Amino acid sequence: MDQAKKLEIRERFLKLDTSNVADVLDELGYPNQGLAQDFAQQTEGGVLAGWAYTIQGQMTPYPLGGDKEKMTACAGLGEGDISVWAGNGEGICYFGELIAIGMKEKGCKGALADGGIRDTRWIDKQAFPVFARYRTPVQSISRWKVNAWQIPVFLRGACSTWVEVKPGDFILGDSDGAIVVPQAIVQTVLEKTEALTAQEVAIREDLSKGMTLAEALAQYGHV
């Protein structure tokens, strides 16, 4: 898929709800793509939508100083990507304001972290959406270190213990939560969700004109 097509798909997903995407994934036989409910929108950046660029790390004591692997990993981010952070870090942040600025400069459209972030009031000023499990003032330096990137990673799931995220999967996050669309079915999920969304628009219009809910359900079925 070329870059222009990827950006077009992203723009179309921005108009859709995670709830409808989840329903379509259920229909297609992918019931465990939703992320755990403690993944929350931590910054004011709008909808999280883009292609997964995965970064993995682990708790590793080391002397104070920078994490060169983290910088190298972030340097590979491109236009339309979402940085997806995974690993066994607990109580520490995976990144803060400066790395968020660097990611945005690369064209990255947000971040999804199975762990913590910090500097949220400053990241807010960047209009850079971040979904993470918690906020913390504690830095990763000397505690948590990146050890791989652009590999399959596993994040906590809503209906399963883990959800696998592969490089190139599509990430969508809104006020209801976050969900992962496998790359192989992105186009199918997009088209089916757009159709479901159009149906819901029609239902709302009919209800506003006086149709009862019972009549809407009889006409449109379960939605």
Side-chain angles (χ1 to χ4, degrees):
M1 187 184 300
D2 63 28
Q3 186 66 12
K5 183 64 175 178
K6 291 175 71 174
L7 293 177
E8 177 212 331
I9 287 174
R10 177 181 180 273
E11 288 300 317
R12 290 165 66 184
F13 265 110
L14 282 169
K15 301 173 184 176
L16 305 176
D17 297 333
T18 55
S19 56
N20 284 343
V21 171
D23 290 353
V24 167
L25 285 166
D26 280 349
E27 176 189 334
L28 294 174
Y30 292 81
N32 297 319
Q33 298 303 119
L35 297 181
Q37 63 269 24
D38 49 354
F39 281 89
Q41 189 163 7
Q42 302 289 352
T43 64
E44 297 176 2
V47 173
L48 183 72
W51 304 88
Y53 180 102
T54 62
I55 300 172
Q56 179 178 278
Q58 66 182 38
M59 297 300 286
T60 303
Y62 61 99
L64 284 172
D67 182 347
K68 293 181 180 178
E69 284 77 14
K70 182 188 288 187
M71 297 301 102
T72 301
C74 289
L77 285 159
E79 184 68 27
D81 287 343
I82 298 295
S83 62
V84 178
W85 300 72
N88 68 344
E90 290 296 337
I92 53 90
C93 78
Y94 288 168
F95 65 89
E97 176 197 8
L98 296 181
I99 289 182
I101 291 172
M103 290 190 289
K104 185 178 179 181
E105 288 176 346
K106 290 285 185 179
C108 179
K109 299 302 183 184
L112 174 66
D114 194 349
I117 65 163
R118 70 177 188 176
D119 303 330
T120 53
R121 72 183 178 113
W122 301 112
I123 297 175
D124 281 344
K125 298 180 184 297
Q126 301 298 321
F128 187 77
V130 178
F131 279 63
R133 289 196 295 112
Y134 56 85
R135 301 178 181 186
T136 175
V138 181
Q139 68 178 343
S140 62
I141 293 174
S142 81
R143 300 179 175 91
W144 183 89
K145 194 172 184 63
V146 168
N147 57 22
W149 53 94
Q150 286 297 74
I151 62 167
V153 297
F154 293 86
L155 277 59
R156 290 163 176 82
C159 300
S160 58
T161 303
W162 302 104
V163 175
E164 184 178 24
V165 182
K166 296 179 180 178
D169 287 348
F170 196 88
I171 307 297
L172 187 67
D174 60 18
S175 56
D176 287 337
I179 197 159
V180 180
V181 181
Q183 184 178 23
I185 59 170
V186 165
Q187 187 72 39
T188 300
V189 171
L190 175 61
E191 293 171 359
K192 285 182 172 291
T193 306
E194 287 176 330
L196 178 58
T197 300
Q199 179 175 298
E200 289 192 347
V201 169
I203 292 172
R204 292 189 189 105
E205 289 177 352
D206 285 343
L207 290 172
S208 71
K209 295 175 182 176
M211 178 182 281
T212 67
L213 180 58
E215 290 170 338
L217 290 175
Q219 178 173 332
Y220 294 101
H222 173 73
V223 291

